[in-house]
Amino acid sequence: MAPTRQPSANTRGTRQACDPGLLLQSIPSAVFSVDEHHYFQFANPAAEELFAASWNVLAGRQLSDFVAPHATIMALVRQVQATGTTISDYGIDIAMTRGEPVSVDCHVCPVPELPQHVLLVLHPCSVARRLDQQVSHRRSTRSVAGLAATLAHEVKNPLSGIRGAAQLLEPAVSDEDRPLIQLICDETDRICALVERMEEFGDTGPLERRPVNIYQVLEHVRRIAEAGFARHHRIVELYDPSLPEVDGDRDRLIQVFLNLVKNAAEAAPPEGGQIVLATQYQHGLRVAVNNSRARLELPITVEVRDNGPGVAEDLADHLFEPFISTKRRGGGLGLSLVAKIVADHRGVVSYLPGEPGATFRVLLPAAGRQQQPVPQREVA
């Protein structure tokens, strides 16, 4: 453990140095380390609670005494010891020898000063929970698609007849009543437009996946935005220059980011409005889907940020559901469609509050990467 930093001369006597050990003890996430033979070397109180054992019990015991031998966490520890690289795995289930299984996000990293020693940080699921929400949102959009198909047959066609009848009646009514005819036509057009938007959720077959340069997608979206709805805003690009290509459909990815940038432009203030497009590569980011053994690798991160007022707290968990909108005249289908397309790409989209504003983060798979199953059997 790193030595305690001594206070500088101008603060000595007025501010007490904080012991890093005390900080580790206060972290609510489980933090512990094991040696080359997987014996516990350190555990904070949250780790003691996780394993239902005090440090006096954990000391001198192996990790395999508290988790099942086939647990994913054991494979991750061995992988870090073999490669010397940090791994983050999300939504893993740990089968405990004591108590119920737990689902956690897991970060495993080597300790450079101690060869073959590994530090682990476990905390309640976050990305995995958002992925579960994605599955729920996708089911919702499929329900919308079914509803749209019904409306197209049962509502849209009769509405066209109503509109035509109203137009035929127009010459026979007085000038005083003609605004009512126009009202009928406007309302039928509005309902038809809503049904047409809902029809976008219909399954259009499998994606035409191929390697896609995400920079070209974002550049195309930026040009459209600067020429139209975001011409009065400043667009800032913060790109990781070494991103691999995305495994996806170029046109549908453009649809995703065009929708997100348009929302950001509408949220940003008229004066001083700013939209940030940022990309990042996250090594070792893997997510489980529906409790299966397959792990999705989602290393490519794209964020769309704005400096607007943000999203009300009571709406934040429902943004990607159909008919949920923060706009006065919004139909609440744009973000739901974004969630569907991203889910079709086996990705994750989430909302994060900004300071100020809002951030929409999209995680996508890289082209050419095979989804790896968790090892079925561990070697002792």
Side-chain angles (χ1 to χ4, degrees):
M1 186 174 295
T4 303
R5 179 179 295 176
Q6 297 299 322
S8 60
N10 61 342
T11 61
R12 189 178 290 118
T14 61
R15 181 180 300 171
Q16 184 178 1
C18 188
D19 184 351
L22 293 178
L23 295 178
L24 284 174
Q25 298 291 335
S26 303
I27 293 176
S29 298
V31 180
F32 59 96
S33 64
V34 297
D35 64 11
E36 64 270 25
H37 300 298
H38 304 162
Y39 284 95
F40 284 97
Q41 299 298 305
F42 169 82
N44 71 345
E48 296 179 41
E49 183 178 352
L50 174 69
F51 294 114
S54 67
W55 172 245
N56 290 334
V57 175
L58 293 174
R61 301 283 295 275
Q62 290 180 301
L63 179 60
S64 57
D65 293 336
F66 296 89
V67 302
H70 63 274
T72 303
I73 192 172
M74 299 299 299
L76 295 176
V77 169
R78 294 189 180 96
Q79 187 174 349
V80 170
Q81 288 178 322
T83 63
T85 59
T86 298
I87 294 177
S88 297
D89 208 344
Y90 296 84
I92 69 172
D93 293 323
I94 301 180
M96 312 293 288
T97 57
R98 301 181 182 184
E100 298 292 328
V102 295
S103 297
V104 296
D105 292 345
C106 179
H107 306 278
V108 190
C109 63
V111 181
E113 295 81 1
L114 300 172
Q116 294 297 299
H117 284 232
V118 175
L119 178 70
L120 299 95
V121 181
L122 310 181
H123 53 85
C125 297
S126 56
V127 175
R129 188 179 300 114
R130 292 196 292 269
L131 188 59
D132 288 339
Q133 291 175 342
Q134 289 280 303
V135 174
S136 176
H137 297 154
R138 190 172 184 183
R139 291 180 184 142
S140 297
T141 56
R142 289 190 176 184
S143 298
V144 172
L147 177 60
T150 301
L151 289 176
H153 178 71
E154 300 294 340
V155 177
K156 191 176 177 181
N157 293 337
L159 282 176
S160 298
I162 293 172
R163 192 184 196 284
Q167 289 176 321
L168 290 175
L169 287 174
E170 186 174 6
V173 300
S174 64
D175 292 341
E176 182 180 354
D177 293 332
R178 283 187 181 179
L180 297 177
I181 298 294
Q182 187 61 46
L183 178 62
I184 294 173
C185 294
D186 291 344
E187 286 301 295
T188 54
D189 290 344
R190 184 180 64 83
I191 297 173
C192 285
L194 177 61
V195 174
E196 288 171 356
R197 286 205 64 195
M198 292 171 64
E199 287 177 321
E200 295 178 11
F201 289 87
D203 289 331
T204 56
L207 294 176
E208 296 183 5
R209 283 195 178 87
R210 56 174 58 91
V212 176
N213 187 321
I214 196 65
Y215 301 117
Q216 293 179 358
V217 169
L218 296 176
E219 174 66 15
H220 184 82
V221 169
R222 184 186 63 79
R223 289 180 181 176
I224 294 175
E226 289 183 335
F229 53 80
R231 59 184 176 274
H232 300 302
H233 298 318
R234 179 180 176 225
I235 297 181
V236 179
E237 296 171 320
L238 303 176
Y239 292 159
D240 181 337
S242 58
L243 283 185
E245 293 180 313
V246 173
D247 179 28
D249 184 305
R250 181 179 182 275
D251 290 342
R252 298 196 196 181
L253 287 174
I254 288 175
Q255 187 176 6
V256 165
F257 293 108
L258 191 61
N259 199 312
L260 292 178
V261 172
K262 188 173 187 297
N263 284 349
E266 293 174 350
E271 298 293 333
Q274 178 174 286
I275 302 168
V276 176
L277 303 177
T279 63
Q280 181 185 3
Y281 189 91
Q282 298 191 62
H283 295 274
L285 178 56
R286 301 190 300 172
V287 182
V289 181
N290 293 342
N291 297 320
S292 69
R293 299 183 69 82
R295 319 298 288 182
L296 294 182
E297 294 192 34
L298 304 174
I300 298 176
T301 300
V302 182
E303 292 185 350
V304 179
R305 312 169 192 159
D306 64 69
N307 61 340
V311 176
E313 186 175 348
D314 59 336
L315 290 178
D317 292 335
H318 307 283
L319 281 175
F320 300 100
E321 298 175 10
F323 306 111
I324 300 296
S325 177
T326 60
K327 304 174 187 176
R328 182 173 299 177
R329 296 181 176 272
L333 295 175
L335 287 178
S336 186
L337 182 59
V338 165
K340 176 186 182 299
I341 296 174
V342 173
D344 288 342
H345 281 79
R346 303 191 302 270
V348 179
V349 58
S350 59
Y351 160 77
L352 302 171
E355 297 181 0
T359 296
F360 287 88
R361 176 180 295 168
V362 179
L363 306 180
L364 294 168
R369 284 180 171 263
Q370 298 295 324
Q371 305 304 331
Q372 300 294 331
V374 174
Q376 299 291 323
R377 182 171 58 87
E378 303 300 334
V379 179

